[in-house]
Amino acid sequence: MLDRRDTASQETLWQLRVDLAAAFRLAVHFDWHESVGNHFSAAVSPDGKTFLLNPCWQHFSTITASQLLLLNTDDPDVMDRADAPDPTAWCIHGSVHAAVPQARVLLHCHPPYATALCTLKDPTIKPIDQNTARFFNRCSIDLAFGGMADDAQEGQRIAQAFGNHGVMMMGNHGVSVAAPTVAEAFEDLYFLERASKTMVLAYSTGQPLNIMDDELAEETALDWEQYRGSAFAHFDQLKEMLDKSDPSYRT
């Protein structure tokens, strides 16, 4: 007889697969994807060591829920399997999920404006409007880029650089966002790219930035926390949009 808890667990895992597959499709919609690179993952086990990850070198627009790889960070043979993940994906996501179990969902990509900001000597998102203030004192800044992240040492360094933050600006590289759910991680990535666009456009004017004082910036960032629930509403409506255009991500 099938245990109801097993059924619930399978349903929860499938929904996680569907949500993560939707995130890939939506990244294409917002032009955050890059060839067949970049990677999104979601932890399945309580310790974060078992997680879902996109297949190696598959375009985000084609990824479906059933195609996501199920991996374990303690598996010494993972890179020898026929469907082995991309080495950089295994390096970054395997290391972060193993070391930061609270990072249930990890989205790593190179969206245009956030990546442009990460090429600056100071990639800090200054609080110049309410979207940028959302990230005030809430981003890790990693300026120790060590080349392609394809070895264990670099993966461990990236995991440590995350610290207790949910967003990391990766100098000379791109961005990573970690959150408890796909919806929350996607919302943070959405606003991170919006905030970065505002920063890049403001810098492009050549005029001095009108930066909020620390007290106002912190107050605004705290105000944003009262709206965390909007992430789920936004993500559900984005999935409805996908369902109308191409629901194949659910398969």
mmCIF file of all heavy atoms in Angstrom, residues 124-166:
data_model
loop_
_atom_site.group_PDB
_atom_site.id
_atom_site.type_symbol
_atom_site.label_atom_id
_atom_site.label_comp_id
_atom_site.label_asym_id
_atom_site.label_seq_id
_atom_site.Cartn_x
_atom_site.Cartn_y
_atom_site.Cartn_z
ATOM 1 N N THR A 124 28.619 47.577 -6.593
ATOM 2 C CA THR A 124 27.568 47.773 -5.589
ATOM 3 C C THR A 124 26.335 48.419 -6.200
ATOM 4 O O THR A 124 26.432 49.356 -6.992
ATOM 5 C CB THR A 124 28.078 48.677 -4.453
ATOM 6 O OG1 THR A 124 29.286 48.137 -3.921
ATOM 7 C CG2 THR A 124 27.051 48.786 -3.340
ATOM 8 N N ILE A 125 25.181 47.923 -5.819
ATOM 9 C CA ILE A 125 23.923 48.540 -6.244
ATOM 10 C C ILE A 125 23.603 49.665 -5.256
ATOM 11 O O ILE A 125 23.272 49.419 -4.095
ATOM 12 C CB ILE A 125 22.779 47.502 -6.273
ATOM 13 C CG1 ILE A 125 23.112 46.394 -7.276
ATOM 14 C CG2 ILE A 125 21.455 48.158 -6.618
ATOM 15 C CD1 ILE A 125 22.096 45.265 -7.312
ATOM 16 N N LYS A 126 23.751 50.893 -5.710
ATOM 17 C CA LYS A 126 23.521 52.049 -4.849
ATOM 18 C C LYS A 126 22.020 52.281 -4.684
ATOM 19 O O LYS A 126 21.254 52.120 -5.636
ATOM 20 C CB LYS A 126 24.152 53.311 -5.458
ATOM 21 C CG LYS A 126 25.547 53.143 -6.026
ATOM 22 C CD LYS A 126 26.586 52.957 -4.962
ATOM 23 C CE LYS A 126 27.993 52.957 -5.577
ATOM 24 N NZ LYS A 126 29.044 52.674 -4.586
ATOM 25 N N PRO A 127 21.569 52.698 -3.512
ATOM 26 C CA PRO A 127 20.143 52.958 -3.301
ATOM 27 C C PRO A 127 19.730 54.309 -3.894
ATOM 28 O O PRO A 127 19.751 55.336 -3.223
ATOM 29 C CB PRO A 127 20.005 52.940 -1.772
ATOM 30 C CG PRO A 127 21.344 53.395 -1.278
ATOM 31 C CD PRO A 127 22.351 52.847 -2.260
ATOM 32 N N ILE A 128 19.369 54.291 -5.190
ATOM 33 C CA ILE A 128 18.991 55.536 -5.852
ATOM 34 C C ILE A 128 17.506 55.573 -6.207
ATOM 35 O O ILE A 128 17.010 56.596 -6.690
ATOM 36 C CB ILE A 128 19.846 55.784 -7.118
ATOM 37 C CG1 ILE A 128 19.733 54.618 -8.096
ATOM 38 C CG2 ILE A 128 21.305 56.037 -6.723
ATOM 39 C CD1 ILE A 128 20.475 54.849 -9.416
ATOM 40 N N ASP A 129 16.808 54.458 -6.005
ATOM 41 C CA ASP A 129 15.351 54.429 -6.136
ATOM 42 C C ASP A 129 14.862 53.251 -5.303
ATOM 43 O O ASP A 129 15.655 52.564 -4.660
ATOM 44 C CB ASP A 129 14.911 54.321 -7.610
ATOM 45 C CG ASP A 129 15.048 52.905 -8.168
ATOM 46 O OD1 ASP A 129 15.947 52.155 -7.708
ATOM 47 O OD2 ASP A 129 14.267 52.541 -9.056
ATOM 48 N N GLN A 130 13.560 52.993 -5.297
ATOM 49 C CA GLN A 130 13.081 51.948 -4.397
ATOM 50 C C GLN A 130 13.502 50.549 -4.826
ATOM 51 O O GLN A 130 13.699 49.664 -3.985
ATOM 52 C CB GLN A 130 11.570 52.021 -4.231
ATOM 53 C CG GLN A 130 10.746 51.744 -5.480
ATOM 54 C CD GLN A 130 9.251 51.883 -5.194
ATOM 55 O OE1 GLN A 130 8.842 52.613 -4.287
ATOM 56 N NE2 GLN A 130 8.432 51.185 -5.964
ATOM 57 N N ASN A 131 13.687 50.316 -6.130
ATOM 58 C CA ASN A 131 14.133 48.996 -6.578
ATOM 59 C C ASN A 131 15.581 48.729 -6.194
ATOM 60 O O ASN A 131 15.934 47.639 -5.752
ATOM 61 C CB ASN A 131 13.965 48.857 -8.091
ATOM 62 C CG ASN A 131 12.516 48.646 -8.507
ATOM 63 O OD1 ASN A 131 11.651 48.401 -7.661
ATOM 64 N ND2 ASN A 131 12.241 48.735 -9.792
ATOM 65 N N THR A 132 16.435 49.727 -6.381
ATOM 66 C CA THR A 132 17.837 49.549 -5.994
ATOM 67 C C THR A 132 17.971 49.440 -4.470
ATOM 68 O O THR A 132 18.813 48.693 -3.969
ATOM 69 C CB THR A 132 18.704 50.704 -6.518
ATOM 70 O OG1 THR A 132 18.087 51.949 -6.165
ATOM 71 C CG2 THR A 132 18.849 50.644 -8.038
ATOM 72 N N ALA A 133 17.136 50.178 -3.744
ATOM 73 C CA ALA A 133 17.194 50.139 -2.285
ATOM 74 C C ALA A 133 16.776 48.775 -1.740
ATOM 75 O O ALA A 133 17.121 48.419 -0.609
ATOM 76 C CB ALA A 133 16.308 51.225 -1.692
ATOM 77 N N ARG A 134 16.054 48.012 -2.518
ATOM 78 C CA ARG A 134 15.665 46.653 -2.126
ATOM 79 C C ARG A 134 16.887 45.820 -1.741
ATOM 80 O O ARG A 134 16.815 44.940 -0.877
ATOM 81 C CB ARG A 134 14.925 45.985 -3.301
ATOM 82 C CG ARG A 134 14.516 44.534 -3.099
ATOM 83 C CD ARG A 134 13.981 43.953 -4.404
ATOM 84 N NE ARG A 134 13.622 42.550 -4.297
ATOM 85 C CZ ARG A 134 12.374 42.079 -4.240
ATOM 86 N NH1 ARG A 134 11.359 42.935 -4.279
ATOM 87 N NH2 ARG A 134 12.141 40.784 -4.153
ATOM 88 N N PHE A 135 18.031 46.104 -2.374
ATOM 89 C CA PHE A 135 19.234 45.297 -2.176
ATOM 90 C C PHE A 135 20.256 45.957 -1.250
ATOM 91 O O PHE A 135 21.382 45.467 -1.130
ATOM 92 C CB PHE A 135 19.863 44.987 -3.535
ATOM 93 C CG PHE A 135 18.930 44.229 -4.439
ATOM 94 C CD1 PHE A 135 18.199 44.892 -5.422
ATOM 95 C CD2 PHE A 135 18.740 42.870 -4.276
ATOM 96 C CE1 PHE A 135 17.319 44.204 -6.243
ATOM 97 C CE2 PHE A 135 17.860 42.166 -5.084
ATOM 98 C CZ PHE A 135 17.144 42.832 -6.074
ATOM 99 N N PHE A 136 19.868 47.024 -0.581
ATOM 100 C CA PHE A 136 20.799 47.745 0.297
ATOM 101 C C PHE A 136 21.306 46.825 1.412
ATOM 102 O O PHE A 136 20.534 46.257 2.177
ATOM 103 C CB PHE A 136 20.113 48.969 0.903
ATOM 104 C CG PHE A 136 20.994 49.762 1.829
ATOM 105 C CD1 PHE A 136 22.051 50.508 1.331
ATOM 106 C CD2 PHE A 136 20.767 49.755 3.201
ATOM 107 C CE1 PHE A 136 22.867 51.240 2.179
ATOM 108 C CE2 PHE A 136 21.566 50.489 4.058
ATOM 109 C CZ PHE A 136 22.625 51.234 3.551
ATOM 110 N N ASN A 137 22.624 46.684 1.483
ATOM 111 C CA ASN A 137 23.278 45.829 2.491
ATOM 112 C C ASN A 137 22.799 44.375 2.437
ATOM 113 O O ASN A 137 22.889 43.654 3.432
ATOM 114 C CB ASN A 137 23.050 46.381 3.904
ATOM 115 C CG ASN A 137 23.988 47.519 4.225
ATOM 116 O OD1 ASN A 137 24.986 47.737 3.551
ATOM 117 N ND2 ASN A 137 23.661 48.279 5.261
ATOM 118 N N ARG A 138 22.292 43.965 1.295
ATOM 119 C CA ARG A 138 21.746 42.611 1.179
ATOM 120 C C ARG A 138 22.403 41.818 0.051
ATOM 121 O O ARG A 138 21.874 40.795 -0.372
ATOM 122 C CB ARG A 138 20.226 42.686 0.997
ATOM 123 C CG ARG A 138 19.520 43.020 2.319
ATOM 124 C CD ARG A 138 18.163 43.660 2.109
ATOM 125 N NE ARG A 138 17.463 43.846 3.368
ATOM 126 C CZ ARG A 138 17.700 44.846 4.223
ATOM 127 N NH1 ARG A 138 18.658 45.732 3.956
ATOM 128 N NH2 ARG A 138 17.010 44.948 5.346
ATOM 129 N N CYS A 139 23.531 42.294 -0.438
ATOM 130 C CA CYS A 139 24.259 41.618 -1.515
ATOM 131 C C CYS A 139 25.679 41.302 -1.080
ATOM 132 O O CYS A 139 26.349 42.135 -0.464
ATOM 133 C CB CYS A 139 24.335 42.500 -2.768
ATOM 134 S SG CYS A 139 22.784 42.719 -3.632
ATOM 135 N N SER A 140 26.123 40.119 -1.418
ATOM 136 C CA SER A 140 27.531 39.787 -1.265
ATOM 137 C C SER A 140 28.242 40.250 -2.530
ATOM 138 O O SER A 140 27.719 40.103 -3.638
ATOM 139 C CB SER A 140 27.687 38.275 -1.089
ATOM 140 O OG SER A 140 29.052 37.908 -1.154
ATOM 141 N N ILE A 141 29.420 40.823 -2.368
ATOM 142 C CA ILE A 141 30.222 41.272 -3.509
ATOM 143 C C ILE A 141 31.470 40.396 -3.590
ATOM 144 O O ILE A 141 32.287 40.373 -2.675
ATOM 145 C CB ILE A 141 30.644 42.753 -3.369
ATOM 146 C CG1 ILE A 141 29.432 43.656 -3.144
ATOM 147 C CG2 ILE A 141 31.438 43.187 -4.598
ATOM 148 C CD1 ILE A 141 28.485 43.739 -4.303
ATOM 149 N N ASP A 142 31.593 39.653 -4.679
ATOM 150 C CA ASP A 142 32.742 38.769 -4.864
ATOM 151 C C ASP A 142 33.629 39.327 -5.971
ATOM 152 O O ASP A 142 33.263 39.307 -7.145
ATOM 153 C CB ASP A 142 32.250 37.363 -5.227
ATOM 154 C CG ASP A 142 33.400 36.412 -5.539
ATOM 155 O OD1 ASP A 142 34.529 36.694 -5.087
ATOM 156 O OD2 ASP A 142 33.167 35.398 -6.217
ATOM 157 N N LEU A 143 34.793 39.815 -5.589
ATOM 158 C CA LEU A 143 35.722 40.409 -6.559
ATOM 159 C C LEU A 143 36.951 39.531 -6.787
ATOM 160 O O LEU A 143 37.965 40.006 -7.296
ATOM 161 C CB LEU A 143 36.152 41.805 -6.082
ATOM 162 C CG LEU A 143 35.027 42.838 -5.952
ATOM 163 C CD1 LEU A 143 35.575 44.164 -5.438
ATOM 164 C CD2 LEU A 143 34.322 43.031 -7.283
ATOM 165 N N ALA A 144 36.844 38.257 -6.417
ATOM 166 C CA ALA A 144 38.005 37.369 -6.525
ATOM 167 C C ALA A 144 37.812 36.341 -7.630
ATOM 168 O O ALA A 144 38.120 35.162 -7.462
ATOM 169 C CB ALA A 144 38.261 36.681 -5.189
ATOM 170 N N PHE A 145 37.293 36.781 -8.761
ATOM 171 C CA PHE A 145 37.061 35.890 -9.903
ATOM 172 C C PHE A 145 38.315 35.080 -10.214
ATOM 173 O O PHE A 145 39.401 35.629 -10.356
ATOM 174 C CB PHE A 145 36.668 36.735 -11.115
ATOM 175 C CG PHE A 145 36.453 35.962 -12.386
ATOM 176 C CD1 PHE A 145 35.414 35.058 -12.505
ATOM 177 C CD2 PHE A 145 37.290 36.151 -13.483
ATOM 178 C CE1 PHE A 145 35.208 34.347 -13.688
ATOM 179 C CE2 PHE A 145 37.089 35.458 -14.670
ATOM 180 C CZ PHE A 145 36.041 34.551 -14.760
ATOM 181 N N GLY A 146 38.129 33.757 -10.325
ATOM 182 C CA GLY A 146 39.281 32.888 -10.564
ATOM 183 C C GLY A 146 39.215 32.152 -11.885
ATOM 184 O O GLY A 146 39.767 31.068 -12.022
ATOM 185 N N GLY A 147 38.519 32.731 -12.871
ATOM 186 C CA GLY A 147 38.376 32.063 -14.168
ATOM 187 C C GLY A 147 37.157 31.159 -14.164
ATOM 188 O O GLY A 147 36.333 31.193 -13.258
ATOM 189 N N MET A 148 37.033 30.344 -15.202
ATOM 190 C CA MET A 148 35.901 29.422 -15.300
ATOM 191 C C MET A 148 35.802 28.583 -14.024
ATOM 192 O O MET A 148 36.788 27.965 -13.596
ATOM 193 C CB MET A 148 36.072 28.493 -16.503
ATOM 194 C CG MET A 148 35.791 29.159 -17.837
ATOM 195 S SD MET A 148 34.022 29.378 -18.090
ATOM 196 C CE MET A 148 34.024 29.854 -19.832
ATOM 197 N N ALA A 149 34.617 28.567 -13.441
ATOM 198 C CA ALA A 149 34.417 27.853 -12.176
ATOM 199 C C ALA A 149 34.222 26.370 -12.467
ATOM 200 O O ALA A 149 33.098 25.868 -12.512
ATOM 201 C CB ALA A 149 33.218 28.421 -11.443
ATOM 202 N N ASP A 150 35.316 25.640 -12.654
ATOM 203 C CA ASP A 150 35.196 24.227 -13.010
ATOM 204 C C ASP A 150 36.057 23.316 -12.138
ATOM 205 O O ASP A 150 36.368 22.192 -12.518
ATOM 206 C CB ASP A 150 35.549 24.018 -14.485
ATOM 207 C CG ASP A 150 36.918 24.554 -14.858
ATOM 208 O OD1 ASP A 150 37.642 25.002 -13.948
ATOM 209 O OD2 ASP A 150 37.263 24.527 -16.051
ATOM 210 N N ASP A 151 36.476 23.794 -10.955
ATOM 211 C CA ASP A 151 37.184 22.919 -10.043
ATOM 212 C C ASP A 151 36.636 23.104 -8.631
ATOM 213 O O ASP A 151 35.998 24.104 -8.323
ATOM 214 C CB ASP A 151 38.700 23.173 -10.065
ATOM 215 C CG ASP A 151 39.075 24.581 -9.638
ATOM 216 O OD1 ASP A 151 38.799 24.952 -8.477
ATOM 217 O OD2 ASP A 151 39.633 25.323 -10.459
ATOM 218 N N ALA A 152 36.877 22.117 -7.780
ATOM 219 C CA ALA A 152 36.291 22.093 -6.443
ATOM 220 C C ALA A 152 36.704 23.311 -5.615
ATOM 221 O O ALA A 152 35.892 23.871 -4.872
ATOM 222 C CB ALA A 152 36.691 20.808 -5.725
ATOM 223 N N GLN A 153 37.951 23.733 -5.752
ATOM 224 C CA GLN A 153 38.439 24.855 -4.959
ATOM 225 C C GLN A 153 37.682 26.139 -5.280
ATOM 226 O O GLN A 153 37.301 26.889 -4.376
ATOM 227 C CB GLN A 153 39.945 25.048 -5.201
ATOM 228 C CG GLN A 153 40.563 26.116 -4.312
ATOM 229 C CD GLN A 153 42.077 26.188 -4.476
ATOM 230 O OE1 GLN A 153 42.679 25.419 -5.220
ATOM 231 N NE2 GLN A 153 42.696 27.120 -3.763
ATOM 232 N N GLU A 154 37.444 26.396 -6.569
ATOM 233 C CA GLU A 154 36.705 27.597 -6.950
ATOM 234 C C GLU A 154 35.254 27.506 -6.492
ATOM 235 O O GLU A 154 34.657 28.498 -6.056
ATOM 236 C CB GLU A 154 36.776 27.801 -8.470
ATOM 237 C CG GLU A 154 36.021 29.013 -8.994
ATOM 238 C CD GLU A 154 36.577 30.364 -8.541
ATOM 239 O OE1 GLU A 154 37.599 30.379 -7.820
ATOM 240 O OE2 GLU A 154 35.990 31.393 -8.914
ATOM 241 N N GLY A 155 34.677 26.316 -6.572
ATOM 242 C CA GLY A 155 33.306 26.140 -6.105
ATOM 243 C C GLY A 155 33.180 26.419 -4.624
ATOM 244 O O GLY A 155 32.226 27.089 -4.177
ATOM 245 N N GLN A 156 34.122 25.948 -3.843
ATOM 246 C CA GLN A 156 34.104 26.187 -2.398
ATOM 247 C C GLN A 156 34.310 27.664 -2.085
ATOM 248 O O GLN A 156 33.700 28.209 -1.156
ATOM 249 C CB GLN A 156 35.179 25.337 -1.729
ATOM 250 C CG GLN A 156 34.877 23.844 -1.771
ATOM 251 C CD GLN A 156 36.082 22.986 -1.436
ATOM 252 O OE1 GLN A 156 37.143 23.502 -1.049
ATOM 253 N NE2 GLN A 156 35.953 21.678 -1.611
ATOM 254 N N ARG A 157 35.160 28.322 -2.879
ATOM 255 C CA ARG A 157 35.380 29.753 -2.659
ATOM 256 C C ARG A 157 34.100 30.540 -2.911
ATOM 257 O O ARG A 157 33.748 31.451 -2.151
ATOM 258 C CB ARG A 157 36.494 30.246 -3.589
ATOM 259 C CG ARG A 157 36.940 31.681 -3.305
ATOM 260 C CD ARG A 157 37.736 32.261 -4.448
ATOM 261 N NE ARG A 157 36.927 32.443 -5.648
ATOM 262 C CZ ARG A 157 36.018 33.419 -5.779
ATOM 263 N NH1 ARG A 157 35.809 34.274 -4.814
ATOM 264 N NH2 ARG A 157 35.336 33.515 -6.896
ATOM 265 N N ILE A 158 33.375 30.183 -3.980
ATOM 266 C CA ILE A 158 32.130 30.859 -4.311
ATOM 267 C C ILE A 158 31.093 30.629 -3.214
ATOM 268 O O ILE A 158 30.376 31.560 -2.816
ATOM 269 C CB ILE A 158 31.603 30.380 -5.680
ATOM 270 C CG1 ILE A 158 32.510 30.909 -6.803
ATOM 271 C CG2 ILE A 158 30.157 30.822 -5.909
ATOM 272 C CD1 ILE A 158 32.191 30.350 -8.171
ATOM 273 N N ALA A 159 31.019 29.405 -2.697
ATOM 274 C CA ALA A 159 30.068 29.098 -1.628
ATOM 275 C C ALA A 159 30.356 29.939 -0.394
ATOM 276 O O ALA A 159 29.439 30.470 0.250
ATOM 277 C CB ALA A 159 30.124 27.607 -1.297
ATOM 278 N N GLN A 160 31.637 30.099 -0.057
ATOM 279 C CA GLN A 160 32.013 30.905 1.103
ATOM 280 C C GLN A 160 31.721 32.385 0.871
ATOM 281 O O GLN A 160 31.315 33.101 1.786
ATOM 282 C CB GLN A 160 33.493 30.701 1.417
ATOM 283 C CG GLN A 160 33.818 29.306 1.935
ATOM 284 C CD GLN A 160 35.314 29.091 2.127
ATOM 285 O OE1 GLN A 160 36.142 29.918 1.731
ATOM 286 N NE2 GLN A 160 35.675 27.965 2.722
ATOM 287 N N ALA A 161 31.899 32.836 -0.371
ATOM 288 C CA ALA A 161 31.665 34.245 -0.694
ATOM 289 C C ALA A 161 30.198 34.628 -0.537
ATOM 290 O O ALA A 161 29.873 35.789 -0.271
ATOM 291 C CB ALA A 161 32.139 34.539 -2.117
ATOM 292 N N PHE A 162 29.313 33.653 -0.700
ATOM 293 C CA PHE A 162 27.883 33.923 -0.543
ATOM 294 C C PHE A 162 27.574 34.427 0.865
ATOM 295 O O PHE A 162 26.729 35.300 1.065
ATOM 296 C CB PHE A 162 27.076 32.638 -0.810
ATOM 297 C CG PHE A 162 26.033 32.804 -1.867
ATOM 298 C CD1 PHE A 162 26.127 32.098 -3.052
ATOM 299 C CD2 PHE A 162 24.957 33.653 -1.685
ATOM 300 C CE1 PHE A 162 25.173 32.227 -4.049
ATOM 301 C CE2 PHE A 162 23.991 33.803 -2.669
ATOM 302 C CZ PHE A 162 24.095 33.095 -3.847
ATOM 303 N N GLY A 163 28.268 33.852 1.857
ATOM 304 C CA GLY A 163 28.007 34.237 3.240
ATOM 305 C C GLY A 163 26.566 33.960 3.608
ATOM 306 O O GLY A 163 25.990 32.937 3.233
ATOM 307 N N ASN A 164 25.936 34.903 4.311
ATOM 308 C CA ASN A 164 24.532 34.734 4.692
ATOM 309 C C ASN A 164 23.603 35.567 3.823
ATOM 310 O O ASN A 164 22.469 35.862 4.210
ATOM 311 C CB ASN A 164 24.339 35.092 6.176
ATOM 312 C CG ASN A 164 24.694 36.556 6.465
ATOM 313 O OD1 ASN A 164 25.209 37.251 5.590
ATOM 314 N ND2 ASN A 164 24.435 37.005 7.671
ATOM 315 N N HIS A 165 24.101 35.978 2.646
ATOM 316 C CA HIS A 165 23.293 36.787 1.739
ATOM 317 C C HIS A 165 22.531 35.904 0.748
ATOM 318 O O HIS A 165 22.903 34.762 0.512
ATOM 319 C CB HIS A 165 24.176 37.775 0.969
ATOM 320 C CG HIS A 165 24.816 38.810 1.832
ATOM 321 N ND1 HIS A 165 26.061 38.623 2.403
ATOM 322 C CD2 HIS A 165 24.400 40.026 2.236
ATOM 323 C CE1 HIS A 165 26.380 39.686 3.114
ATOM 324 N NE2 HIS A 165 25.388 40.557 3.045
ATOM 325 N N GLY A 166 21.487 36.481 0.172
ATOM 326 C CA GLY A 166 20.705 35.762 -0.826
ATOM 327 C C GLY A 166 21.053 36.161 -2.244
ATOM 328 O O GLY A 166 20.597 35.537 -3.203
#
